[in-house]
Protein backbone atom coordinates (compact mmCIF):
# COMPACT_ATOMS: atom_id res chain seq x y z
CA UNK A 1 0.00 0.00 0.00
CA UNK A 2 1.49 3.39 -0.96
CA UNK A 3 2.58 5.68 1.81
CA UNK A 4 0.41 8.79 2.18
CA UNK A 5 1.51 12.10 3.66
CA UNK A 6 -1.16 14.04 5.48
CA UNK A 7 0.49 17.43 5.03
CA UNK A 8 -1.68 19.74 2.97
CA UNK A 9 -4.43 17.21 2.27
CA UNK A 10 -8.04 18.45 2.22
CA UNK A 11 -10.09 17.52 5.26
CA UNK A 12 -12.52 15.77 2.94
CA UNK A 13 -9.94 13.02 2.33
CA UNK A 14 -8.71 12.53 5.88
CA UNK A 15 -10.83 9.34 6.32
CA UNK A 16 -9.04 7.89 3.29
CA UNK A 17 -5.70 8.78 4.87
CA UNK A 18 -6.74 7.07 8.06
CA UNK A 19 -7.77 3.89 6.29
CA UNK A 20 -4.64 3.74 4.15
CA UNK A 21 -2.40 4.20 7.18
CA UNK A 22 -3.80 1.07 8.87
CA UNK A 23 -2.74 -2.48 8.26
CA UNK A 24 -3.57 -3.99 4.83
CA UNK A 25 -7.31 -3.94 4.24
CA UNK A 26 -9.45 -4.74 1.20
CA UNK A 27 -10.33 -1.91 -1.18
CA UNK A 28 -14.03 -2.73 -0.77
CA UNK A 29 -13.75 -2.27 2.99
CA UNK A 30 -11.94 1.02 2.49
CA UNK A 31 -14.62 2.27 0.13
CA UNK A 32 -17.39 1.32 2.56
CA UNK A 33 -15.69 3.17 5.38
CA UNK A 34 -14.92 6.25 3.34
CA UNK A 35 -18.39 6.62 1.91
CA UNK A 36 -20.10 5.94 5.18
CA UNK A 37 -18.30 9.03 6.40
CA UNK A 38 -19.01 10.93 3.18
CA UNK A 39 -22.67 10.04 3.34
CA UNK A 40 -22.88 11.36 6.89
CA UNK A 41 -21.00 14.60 6.29
CA UNK A 42 -21.88 15.46 2.71
CA UNK A 43 -25.15 13.67 1.95
CA UNK A 44 -26.89 16.87 0.94
CA UNK A 45 -23.99 18.23 -1.09
CA UNK A 46 -23.50 15.01 -3.02
CA UNK A 47 -27.03 15.26 -4.36
CA UNK A 48 -26.31 18.64 -5.93
CA UNK A 49 -24.59 18.97 -9.30
CA UNK A 50 -22.64 22.04 -8.13
CA UNK A 51 -21.19 20.40 -5.02
CA UNK A 52 -17.91 21.35 -3.37
CA UNK A 53 -16.57 17.80 -3.25
CA UNK A 54 -15.05 17.96 -6.73
CA UNK A 55 -13.59 21.38 -5.99
CA UNK A 56 -11.87 20.01 -2.88
CA UNK A 57 -10.43 17.20 -4.96
CA UNK A 58 -9.20 19.74 -7.50
CA UNK A 59 -7.36 21.69 -4.77
CA UNK A 60 -5.48 18.52 -4.06
CA UNK A 61 -3.85 18.77 -7.49
CA UNK A 62 -1.67 21.68 -6.34
CA UNK A 63 0.41 19.31 -4.24
CA UNK A 64 -0.08 16.27 -6.46
CA UNK A 65 2.92 14.35 -7.83
CA UNK A 66 2.21 13.72 -11.51
CA UNK A 67 2.58 10.09 -12.52
CA UNK A 68 1.22 7.79 -15.18
CA UNK A 69 -0.44 4.48 -14.25
CA UNK A 70 1.30 2.91 -17.25
CA UNK A 71 4.74 3.83 -15.93
CA UNK A 72 5.90 1.31 -13.26
CA UNK A 73 8.83 3.51 -12.31
CA UNK A 74 7.32 6.12 -10.02
CA UNK A 75 9.39 9.09 -8.93
CA UNK A 76 10.55 9.03 -5.35
CA UNK A 77 8.56 11.29 -3.07
CA UNK A 78 10.34 13.94 -1.09
CA UNK A 79 9.37 15.44 2.22
CA UNK A 80 5.97 17.07 2.07
CA UNK A 81 5.02 15.41 -1.21
CA UNK A 82 2.05 13.09 -1.60
CA UNK A 83 1.45 9.97 -3.63
CA UNK A 84 -2.18 10.72 -4.38
CA UNK A 85 -1.78 9.60 -8.01
CA UNK A 86 -1.28 6.07 -6.59
CA UNK A 87 -4.72 6.00 -5.00
CA UNK A 88 -6.24 2.57 -5.83
CA UNK A 89 -8.38 2.84 -9.01
CA UNK A 90 -11.21 0.89 -7.38
CA UNK A 91 -11.48 3.49 -4.62
CA UNK A 92 -11.24 6.41 -7.04
CA UNK A 93 -13.99 4.91 -9.23
CA UNK A 94 -16.27 4.72 -6.20
CA UNK A 95 -15.58 8.38 -5.45
CA UNK A 96 -16.35 9.34 -9.07
CA UNK A 97 -19.69 7.56 -9.00
CA UNK A 98 -20.80 9.79 -6.12
CA UNK A 99 -19.82 13.11 -7.67
CA UNK A 100 -21.81 15.35 -9.96
CA UNK A 101 -20.64 16.14 -13.51
CA UNK A 102 -18.76 19.31 -12.48
CA UNK A 103 -17.04 17.42 -9.67
CA UNK A 104 -15.94 14.69 -12.07
CA UNK A 105 -14.47 17.31 -14.39
CA UNK A 106 -12.49 18.69 -11.45
CA UNK A 107 -11.16 15.20 -10.66
CA UNK A 108 -9.83 14.93 -14.22
CA UNK A 109 -7.70 18.03 -13.64
CA UNK A 110 -5.86 16.69 -10.58
CA UNK A 111 -3.27 14.53 -12.35
CA UNK A 112 -2.80 12.22 -15.32
CA UNK A 113 -3.55 8.99 -13.45
CA UNK A 114 -6.82 10.37 -12.04
CA UNK A 115 -7.75 11.66 -15.49
CA UNK A 116 -7.14 8.23 -17.05
CA UNK A 117 -9.25 6.56 -14.38
CA UNK A 118 -12.07 9.08 -14.79
CA UNK A 119 -12.22 8.63 -18.55
CA UNK A 120 -12.20 4.85 -18.27
CA UNK A 121 -14.89 4.58 -15.60
CA UNK A 122 -17.30 7.44 -16.42
CA UNK A 123 -18.57 7.53 -20.00
CA UNK A 124 -21.69 9.66 -19.60
CA UNK A 125 -19.91 12.99 -19.00
CA UNK A 126 -19.51 15.58 -21.71
CA UNK A 127 -16.71 14.18 -23.82
CA UNK A 128 -14.31 17.02 -24.49
CA UNK A 129 -13.72 16.19 -28.16
CA UNK A 130 -17.14 15.00 -29.33
CA UNK A 131 -19.83 17.49 -30.38
CA UNK A 132 -22.94 17.56 -28.24
CA UNK A 133 -26.29 19.06 -29.15
CA UNK A 134 -27.50 21.70 -26.71
CA UNK A 135 -31.29 21.97 -26.88
CA UNK A 136 -34.21 23.08 -24.79
CA UNK A 137 -36.67 20.44 -23.68
CA UNK A 138 -40.32 21.02 -24.71
CA UNK A 139 -42.78 22.61 -22.32
CA UNK A 140 -43.17 25.98 -20.68
CA UNK A 141 -40.58 25.07 -18.03
CA UNK A 142 -38.28 23.08 -20.29
CA UNK A 143 -34.62 23.29 -19.28
CA UNK A 144 -31.51 23.21 -21.44
CA UNK A 145 -30.03 19.75 -21.92
CA UNK A 146 -27.22 18.01 -23.83
CA UNK A 147 -27.96 15.25 -26.32
CA UNK A 148 -25.29 12.59 -26.89
CA UNK A 149 -24.94 11.05 -30.34
CA UNK A 150 -23.04 8.08 -28.98
CA UNK A 151 -25.46 7.25 -26.21
CA UNK A 152 -28.48 8.43 -28.19
CA UNK A 153 -29.96 10.05 -25.10
CA UNK A 154 -30.09 13.20 -23.01
CA UNK A 155 -27.09 13.50 -20.67
CA UNK A 156 -27.54 14.15 -16.97
CA UNK A 157 -25.58 17.37 -16.82
CA UNK A 158 -27.21 20.18 -14.84
CA UNK A 159 -26.51 23.73 -16.01
CA UNK A 160 -26.54 26.72 -13.62
CA UNK A 161 -29.88 28.48 -13.24
CA UNK A 162 -28.74 31.69 -14.94
CA UNK A 163 -27.62 29.73 -18.02
CA UNK A 164 -30.92 27.85 -18.15
CA UNK A 165 -32.81 31.13 -18.35
CA UNK A 166 -30.98 32.25 -21.50
CA UNK A 167 -30.92 31.43 -25.19
CA UNK A 168 -27.66 30.05 -26.56
CA UNK A 169 -26.38 32.07 -29.52
CA UNK A 170 -22.75 30.90 -29.74
CA UNK A 171 -20.05 28.71 -28.24
CA UNK A 172 -16.33 28.11 -28.02
CA UNK A 173 -14.89 25.31 -25.92
CA UNK A 174 -16.58 25.31 -22.53
CA UNK A 175 -17.97 28.83 -23.01
CA UNK A 176 -21.56 29.48 -24.05
CA UNK A 177 -22.79 32.85 -25.31
CA UNK A 178 -26.23 33.29 -23.75
CA UNK A 179 -28.71 35.98 -24.82
CA UNK A 180 -31.35 37.26 -22.41
CA UNK A 181 -33.87 38.84 -24.71
CA UNK A 182 -36.02 40.56 -22.09
CA UNK A 183 -32.95 42.23 -20.58
CA UNK A 184 -31.36 42.82 -24.00
CA UNK A 185 -28.16 41.41 -22.53
CA UNK A 186 -25.52 38.90 -23.64
CA UNK A 187 -23.27 37.00 -21.23
CA UNK A 188 -20.53 34.41 -21.67
CA UNK A 189 -20.71 31.47 -19.24
CA UNK A 190 -18.20 28.67 -18.66
CA UNK A 191 -20.22 25.52 -17.98
CA UNK A 192 -17.32 23.86 -16.12
CA UNK A 193 -15.75 26.57 -13.99
CA UNK A 194 -18.89 28.64 -13.45
CA UNK A 195 -17.13 31.83 -14.63
CA UNK A 196 -19.19 34.46 -16.43
CA UNK A 197 -18.33 37.52 -18.50
CA UNK A 198 -20.88 40.24 -19.22
CA UNK A 199 -20.61 41.66 -22.73
CA UNK A 200 -21.47 45.25 -23.67
CA UNK A 201 -25.01 45.65 -24.96
CA UNK A 202 -25.07 44.58 -28.59
CA UNK A 203 -26.13 47.23 -31.12
CA UNK A 204 -28.60 44.80 -32.63
CA UNK A 205 -31.25 42.68 -30.94
CA UNK A 206 -32.42 39.98 -30.99
CA UNK A 207 -29.02 38.33 -31.46
CA UNK A 208 -29.05 35.46 -33.94
CA UNK A 209 -25.43 34.32 -33.66
CA UNK A 210 -22.17 35.17 -31.90
CA UNK A 211 -18.77 33.88 -33.02
CA UNK A 212 -15.64 34.14 -30.85
CA UNK A 213 -12.03 34.02 -32.01
CA UNK A 214 -10.89 32.64 -28.63
CA UNK A 215 -12.20 32.16 -25.08
CA UNK A 216 -12.80 35.46 -23.22
CA UNK A 217 -9.93 34.65 -20.88
CA UNK A 218 -7.48 35.01 -23.79
CA UNK A 219 -5.72 38.24 -24.75
CA UNK A 220 -6.98 39.96 -27.86
CA UNK A 221 -10.14 37.87 -28.22
CA UNK A 222 -12.70 39.10 -30.71
CA UNK A 223 -16.47 38.63 -30.84
CA UNK A 224 -18.77 39.17 -33.80
CA UNK A 225 -22.53 39.42 -33.38
CA UNK A 226 -25.03 38.75 -36.14
CA UNK A 227 -28.47 40.24 -35.61
CA UNK A 228 -31.69 38.50 -36.59
CA UNK A 229 -32.23 41.21 -39.25
CA UNK A 230 -28.83 40.56 -40.82
CA UNK A 231 -26.82 43.33 -39.17
CA UNK A 232 -23.21 42.66 -38.13
CA UNK A 233 -20.96 44.17 -35.42
CA UNK A 234 -17.46 43.48 -34.09
CA UNK A 235 -16.09 43.73 -30.53
CA UNK A 236 -12.47 43.56 -29.34
CA UNK A 237 -12.44 44.46 -25.61
CA UNK A 238 -8.65 44.93 -25.41
CA UNK A 239 -8.80 47.57 -28.17
CA UNK A 240 -12.27 49.06 -28.42
CA UNK A 241 -12.79 49.42 -24.69
CA UNK A 242 -16.17 47.74 -24.78
CA UNK A 243 -17.53 49.54 -27.85
CA UNK A 244 -19.03 47.63 -30.77
CA UNK A 245 -18.02 48.48 -34.34
CA UNK A 246 -20.88 48.07 -36.80
CA UNK A 247 -20.14 46.55 -40.20
CA UNK A 248 -22.59 47.66 -42.86
CA UNK A 249 -23.46 45.49 -45.84
CA UNK A 250 -23.51 47.21 -49.21
CA UNK A 251 -26.94 47.92 -50.65
CA UNK A 252 -26.51 45.33 -53.38
CA UNK A 253 -25.68 42.64 -50.83
CA UNK A 254 -28.69 43.48 -48.62
CA UNK A 255 -28.08 41.75 -45.25
CA UNK A 256 -25.76 39.13 -43.75
CA UNK A 257 -26.99 35.62 -43.04
CA UNK A 258 -23.99 33.70 -41.62
CA UNK A 259 -20.50 34.43 -40.28
CA UNK A 260 -17.36 32.50 -39.38
CA UNK A 261 -13.82 33.36 -38.29
CA UNK A 262 -11.16 31.96 -40.62
CA UNK A 263 -7.42 32.74 -40.50
CA UNK A 264 -7.94 35.84 -38.41
CA UNK A 265 -10.62 37.22 -40.70
CA UNK A 266 -14.34 37.55 -40.20
CA UNK A 267 -16.05 35.96 -43.19
CA UNK A 268 -19.65 36.99 -43.81
CA UNK A 269 -22.19 35.48 -46.20
CA UNK A 270 -24.66 37.98 -47.66
CA UNK A 271 -28.23 37.44 -48.79
CA UNK A 272 -27.20 37.58 -52.44
CA UNK A 273 -24.56 34.85 -51.98
CA UNK A 274 -21.56 37.16 -51.77
CA UNK A 275 -18.85 36.20 -49.27
CA UNK A 276 -16.81 39.05 -47.82
CA UNK A 277 -13.78 38.83 -45.50
CA UNK A 278 -13.05 41.54 -42.91
CA UNK A 279 -9.90 41.92 -40.84
CA UNK A 280 -10.94 40.81 -37.35
CA UNK A 281 -8.54 43.14 -35.59
CA UNK A 282 -9.69 46.62 -34.60
CA UNK A 283 -6.11 47.75 -33.99
CA UNK A 284 -5.77 48.29 -37.74
CA UNK A 285 -6.61 51.84 -38.80
CA UNK A 286 -8.26 50.65 -41.98
CA UNK A 287 -10.57 47.64 -42.01
CA UNK A 288 -9.38 45.46 -44.88
CA UNK A 289 -12.28 44.05 -46.88
CA UNK A 290 -12.10 41.52 -49.69
CA UNK A 291 -14.58 39.42 -51.59
CA UNK A 292 -14.06 35.65 -51.78
CA UNK A 293 -16.38 34.84 -54.66
CA UNK A 294 -13.59 33.92 -57.07
CA UNK A 295 -15.14 31.56 -59.60
CA UNK A 296 -17.98 30.72 -57.23
CA UNK A 297 -20.76 29.85 -59.66
CA UNK A 298 -23.95 28.32 -58.33
CA UNK A 299 -27.67 28.72 -58.47
CA UNK A 300 -28.29 30.81 -55.37
CA UNK A 301 -31.56 30.46 -53.47
CA UNK A 302 -31.84 32.39 -50.23
CA UNK A 303 -34.37 29.90 -48.82
CA UNK A 304 -31.78 27.09 -48.92
CA UNK A 305 -29.86 26.75 -45.62
CA UNK A 306 -26.23 27.74 -46.23
CA UNK A 307 -23.39 27.73 -43.69
CA UNK A 308 -19.78 28.88 -43.42
CA UNK A 309 -17.53 26.37 -41.60
CA UNK A 310 -13.84 26.55 -40.63
CA UNK A 311 -12.20 23.13 -40.81
CA UNK A 312 -8.49 22.43 -40.29
CA UNK A 313 -7.53 25.85 -41.61
CA UNK A 314 -9.90 25.62 -44.57
CA UNK A 315 -13.02 27.67 -45.25
CA UNK A 316 -15.96 25.54 -46.33
CA UNK A 317 -19.32 26.56 -47.71
CA UNK A 318 -22.06 24.03 -46.97
CA UNK A 319 -25.46 24.21 -48.61
CA UNK A 320 -28.50 22.01 -48.03
CA UNK A 321 -30.49 21.40 -51.21
CA UNK A 322 -33.96 19.98 -51.83
CA UNK A 323 -34.88 18.11 -54.98
CA UNK A 324 -38.57 17.44 -55.62
CA UNK A 325 -39.45 14.37 -57.66
CA UNK A 326 -43.20 14.00 -57.88
CA UNK A 327 -44.50 13.45 -54.36
CA UNK A 328 -41.08 12.74 -52.86
CA UNK A 329 -38.39 15.16 -51.72
CA UNK A 330 -34.71 14.28 -51.62
CA UNK A 331 -32.08 16.10 -49.58
CA UNK A 332 -28.62 16.75 -50.93
CA UNK A 333 -25.65 18.57 -49.42
CA UNK A 334 -23.26 20.61 -51.54
CA UNK A 335 -19.82 21.56 -50.17
CA UNK A 336 -17.29 24.01 -51.62
CA UNK A 337 -13.74 24.61 -50.40
CA UNK A 338 -11.93 27.94 -50.81
CA UNK A 339 -8.38 27.80 -52.19
CA UNK A 340 -6.79 31.16 -51.24
CA UNK A 341 -3.52 30.50 -53.07
CA UNK A 342 -5.34 29.78 -56.33
CA UNK A 343 -8.17 32.20 -55.57
CA UNK A 344 -10.92 29.80 -56.41
CA UNK A 345 -13.60 27.55 -54.93
CA UNK A 346 -13.66 23.84 -55.63
CA UNK A 347 -16.33 21.24 -55.08
CA UNK A 348 -15.82 18.77 -52.25
CA UNK A 349 -17.33 15.33 -52.74
CA UNK A 350 -15.73 13.48 -49.85
CA UNK A 351 -14.56 14.35 -46.31
CA UNK A 352 -12.48 11.33 -45.26
CA UNK A 353 -11.72 11.32 -41.56
CA UNK A 354 -13.89 14.38 -40.92
CA UNK A 355 -17.47 15.25 -40.03
CA UNK A 356 -19.27 18.58 -40.19
CA UNK A 357 -21.90 19.80 -37.74
CA UNK A 358 -23.93 22.73 -39.06
CA UNK A 359 -26.70 24.84 -37.61
CA UNK A 360 -28.08 28.35 -37.46
CA UNK A 361 -26.11 29.20 -34.28
CA UNK A 362 -22.86 27.23 -34.57
CA UNK A 363 -21.12 25.15 -37.22
CA UNK A 364 -18.06 23.07 -36.34
CA UNK A 365 -15.85 20.42 -37.90
CA UNK A 366 -14.18 17.51 -36.12
CA UNK A 367 -11.64 14.84 -36.94
CA UNK A 368 -13.28 11.43 -36.57
CA UNK A 369 -11.14 8.94 -34.65
CA UNK A 370 -11.69 5.90 -32.47
CA UNK A 371 -11.97 8.31 -29.53
CA UNK A 372 -15.26 9.64 -30.98
CA UNK A 373 -17.67 6.71 -30.92
CA UNK A 374 -21.05 7.50 -32.40
CA UNK A 375 -19.71 10.07 -34.90
CA UNK A 376 -19.61 9.01 -38.56
CA UNK A 377 -16.89 10.26 -40.87
CA UNK A 378 -17.63 11.70 -44.29
CA UNK A 379 -20.97 12.98 -43.02
CA UNK A 380 -22.73 16.28 -42.41
CA UNK A 381 -24.90 16.59 -39.29
CA UNK A 382 -27.52 19.32 -39.32
CA UNK A 383 -29.87 20.69 -36.69
CA UNK A 384 -32.58 23.32 -36.70
CA UNK A 385 -35.40 24.24 -34.35
CA UNK A 386 -38.26 23.64 -36.77
CA UNK A 387 -39.07 20.76 -39.07
CA UNK A 388 -38.55 21.61 -42.74
CA UNK A 389 -41.80 22.10 -44.61
CA UNK A 390 -40.68 19.68 -47.31
CA UNK A 391 -38.60 17.25 -45.26
CA UNK A 392 -40.05 15.92 -41.96
CA UNK A 393 -37.00 16.07 -39.70
CA UNK A 394 -35.18 18.78 -37.78
CA UNK A 395 -32.03 16.90 -36.75
CA UNK A 396 -30.35 14.48 -39.11
CA UNK A 397 -27.13 13.23 -40.70
CA UNK A 398 -26.30 13.21 -44.41
CA UNK A 399 -23.74 10.74 -45.76
CA UNK A 400 -21.58 12.09 -48.56
CA UNK A 401 -20.74 8.50 -49.52
CA UNK A 402 -24.17 7.05 -50.23
CA UNK A 403 -25.97 10.43 -50.55
CA UNK A 404 -28.66 9.46 -48.05
CA UNK A 405 -30.12 11.20 -45.02
CA UNK A 406 -30.90 9.54 -41.69
CA UNK A 407 -33.02 11.09 -38.98
CA UNK A 408 -31.52 11.60 -35.52
CA UNK A 409 -34.44 10.93 -33.21
CA UNK A 410 -34.46 12.69 -29.84
CA UNK A 411 -36.70 11.03 -27.28
CA UNK A 412 -39.19 13.57 -25.99
CA UNK A 413 -38.31 16.03 -28.75
CA UNK A 414 -37.03 19.57 -28.29
CA UNK A 415 -38.56 23.02 -28.11
CA UNK A 416 -39.05 24.89 -31.39
CA UNK A 417 -38.71 28.21 -29.57
CA UNK A 418 -34.90 28.19 -29.69
CA UNK A 419 -32.30 26.80 -32.09
CA UNK A 420 -30.42 23.63 -31.08
CA UNK A 421 -26.66 24.27 -30.93
CA UNK A 422 -23.71 21.98 -31.70
CA UNK A 423 -20.96 22.49 -29.12
CA UNK A 424 -17.56 20.96 -28.43
CA UNK A 425 -17.09 21.04 -24.64
CA UNK A 426 -13.59 21.81 -23.41
CA UNK A 427 -12.05 22.87 -20.11
CA UNK A 428 -9.61 25.14 -21.96
Amino acid sequence: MPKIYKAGAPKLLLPILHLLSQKPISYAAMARGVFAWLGKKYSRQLERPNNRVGENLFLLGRSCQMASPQNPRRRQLGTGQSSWPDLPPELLESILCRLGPLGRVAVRLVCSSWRSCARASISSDLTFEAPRLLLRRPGSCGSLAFFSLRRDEILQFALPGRVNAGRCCGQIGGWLAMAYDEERAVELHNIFSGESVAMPRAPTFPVAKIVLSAPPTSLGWVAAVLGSLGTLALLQPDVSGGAWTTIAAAAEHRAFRDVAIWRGRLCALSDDGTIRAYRADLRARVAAVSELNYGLVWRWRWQQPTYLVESEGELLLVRKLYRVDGDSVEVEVEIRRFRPEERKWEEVRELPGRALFVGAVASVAVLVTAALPGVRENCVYFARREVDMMVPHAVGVYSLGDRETAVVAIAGGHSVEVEPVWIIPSVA
Side-chain angles (χ1 to χ4, degrees), residues 98-129:
R98 288 162 171 79
L99 295 177
L102 295 181
R104 292 197 289 266
V105 170
V107 169
R108 297 171 190 255
L109 302 180
V110 171
C111 61
S112 60
S113 61
W114 285 32
R115 181 164 57 252
S116 299
C117 182
R119 289 178 174 175
S121 60
I122 302 296
S123 60
S124 61
D125 279 341
L126 296 175
T127 305
F128 294 160
E129 297 84 3

Side-chain angles (χ1 to χ4, degrees), residues 86-110:
D86 298 315
L87 194 67
E90 296 87 348
L91 184 58
L92 186 56
E93 289 176 6
S94 297
I95 295 175
L96 288 167
C97 292
R98 288 162 171 79
L99 295 177
L102 295 181
R104 292 197 289 266
V105 170
V107 169
R108 297 171 190 255
L109 302 180
V110 171

Side-chain angles (χ1 to χ4, degrees), residues 128-133 149 170-173 175 209-212 258-261 307-312 314 316 318 335 351 354-368 372 375 379-383 421-425:
F128 294 160
E129 297 84 3
R132 297 296 190 228
L133 188 61
L149 290 171
Q171 68 86 37
I172 184 169
W175 292 87
K209 180 175 183 177
I210 289 181
V211 293
L212 303 171
D258 196 24
V259 292
I261 292 181
Y307 312 95
L308 290 171
V309 188
E310 189 280 333
S311 173
E312 296 296 306
E314 298 178 335
L316 304 180
V318 182
I335 304 177
L351 288 173
R354 282 188 287 178
L356 304 181
F357 295 79
V358 298
V361 173
S363 297
V364 296
V366 299
L367 296 177
V368 181
L372 294 180
V375 177
C379 287
V380 178
Y381 292 79
F382 51 87
V421 183
W422 297 110
I423 70 167
I424 303 180

Side-chain angles (χ1 to χ4, degrees), residues 140-409:
S140 58
C141 299
S143 61
L144 292 174
F146 290 100
F147 177 78
S148 167
L149 290 171
R150 183 180 71 84
R151 298 176 63 87
D152 194 25
E153 65 181 16
I154 299 295
L155 298 178
Q156 299 300 318
F157 188 95
L159 291 166
R162 177 65 175 171
V163 176
N164 261 308
R167 173 176 56 84
C168 185
C169 53
Q171 68 86 37
I172 184 169
W175 292 87
L176 300 181
M178 305 300 297
Y180 302 92
D181 295 330
E182 293 185 359
E183 306 172 22
R184 299 181 65 86
V186 176
E187 298 176 4
L188 304 178
H189 295 272
N190 190 300
I191 59 177
F192 296 116
S193 67
E195 295 177 87
S196 62
V197 176
M199 299 183 68
R201 175 168 292 189
T204 177
F205 238 90
V207 172
K209 180 175 183 177
I210 289 181
V211 293
L212 303 171
S213 64
T217 52
S218 305
L219 293 176
W221 66 281
V222 176
V225 58
L226 176 65
S228 59
L229 297 180
T231 53
L232 186 61
L234 198 63
L235 172 71
Q236 191 172 10
D238 293 347
V239 177
S240 61
W244 290 91
T245 300
T246 302
I247 299 177
E252 64 271 20
H253 302 317
R254 297 189 291 275
F256 298 107
R257 60 179 303 168
D258 196 24
V259 292
I261 292 181
W262 168 71
R263 294 188 178 182
R265 290 189 285 180
L266 177 64
C267 299
L269 173 66
S270 303
D271 270 343
D272 65 346
T274 302
I275 302 173
R276 310 188 80 192
Y278 301 86
R279 180 184 293 141
D281 188 348
L282 298 180
R283 290 174 295 185
R285 293 185 177 181
V286 179
V289 182
S290 59
E291 290 194 4
L292 306 182
N293 287 62
Y294 306 104
L296 182 60
V297 180
W298 59 356
R299 292 181 300 172
W300 174 257
R301 297 290 186 273
W302 68 268
Q303 301 94 335
Q304 296 169 338
T306 308
Y307 312 95
L308 290 171
V309 188
E310 189 280 333
S311 173
E312 296 296 306
E314 298 178 335
L315 180 63
L316 304 180
L317 187 64
V318 182
R319 186 167 61 152
K320 188 178 177 183
L321 306 173
Y322 305 106
R323 300 191 183 278
V324 181
D325 184 9
D327 296 333
S328 63
V329 179
E330 295 183 356
V331 176
E332 291 187 7
V333 173
E334 181 182 88
I335 304 177
R336 301 291 180 93
R337 177 194 292 119
F338 181 59
R339 293 290 191 184
E341 296 79 9
E342 304 172 13
R343 293 189 175 185
K344 70 175 185 179
W345 290 82
E346 65 178 18
E347 185 178 1
V348 177
R349 294 186 175 273
E350 302 287 335
L351 288 173
R354 282 188 287 178
L356 304 181
F357 295 79
V358 298
V361 173
S363 297
V364 296
V366 299
L367 296 177
V368 181
T369 64
L372 294 180
V375 177
R376 298 165 53 188
E377 69 170 340
N378 200 31
C379 287
V380 178
Y381 292 79
F382 51 87
R384 56 185 299 158
R385 64 187 178 93
E386 294 179 321
V387 173
D388 290 341
M389 295 183 65
M390 294 187 295
V391 183
H393 49 68
V395 183
V397 53
Y398 177 83
S399 172
L400 295 173
D402 54 28
R403 304 289 172 178
E404 293 184 356
T405 302
V407 177
V408 177

